[in-house]
Amino acid sequence: MRERLFNMCKAIEDMMKKAEKEGEQKAELRIKQETAKRMILMGRLTYEEVAEYAGLALEEIQEMVKGMAMCV
């Protein structure tokens, strides 16, 4: 009985750690995207430079630019 309880507690703890890590990754991505958006709006850098400095793939930058163009 104690072992089952221990295993359940361990499983819940593992799920919570995984959810926390995923939340941190999403927040980091959001920060990178916001940084890239500001760089794009400045208009001084190439998309390749924005991708490199923001830590995103060039394809992500290109998709972001398409999305920004739709909002204008």
Side-chain angles (χ1 to χ4, degrees), residues 2 6 8-9 14 21-22 30 32-34 37 39-40 46 49-51 54 56 58-59 61 64 68 70 72:
R2 276 191 168 163
F6 175 80
M8 287 175 55
C9 289
D14 290 346
K21 184 175 181 177
E22 288 173 357
R30 208 171 22 251
K32 288 180 178 184
Q33 290 171 334
E34 289 300 319
K37 192 180 292 185
M39 285 189 262
I40 291 166
T46 66
E49 291 170 322
V50 172
L56 297 170
L58 178 59
E59 293 78 18
I61 301 300
M64 189 180 299
M68 290 169 66
M70 287 185 206
V72 175

Side-chain angles (χ1 to χ4, degrees), residues 10-72:
K10 178 76 170 119
I12 291 170
E13 184 179 321
D14 290 346
M15 289 181 351
M16 289 174 59
K17 285 181 182 179
K18 181 180 176 186
E20 182 179 348
K21 184 175 181 177
E22 288 173 357
E24 290 171 356
Q25 290 172 338
K26 286 180 182 180
E28 184 178 330
L29 176 60
R30 208 171 22 251
I31 290 168
K32 288 180 178 184
Q33 290 171 334
E34 289 300 319
T35 300
K37 192 180 292 185
R38 285 193 300 275
M39 285 189 262
I40 291 166
L41 291 173
M42 286 175 47
R44 296 183 183 160
L45 302 172
T46 66
Y47 296 156
E48 290 83 2
E49 291 170 322
V50 172
E52 181 181 343
Y53 300 152
L56 297 170
L58 178 59
E59 293 78 18
E60 291 177 87
I61 301 300
Q62 292 168 333
E63 286 299 315
M64 189 180 299
V65 170
K66 286 180 189 177
M68 290 169 66
M70 287 185 206
C71 294
V72 175

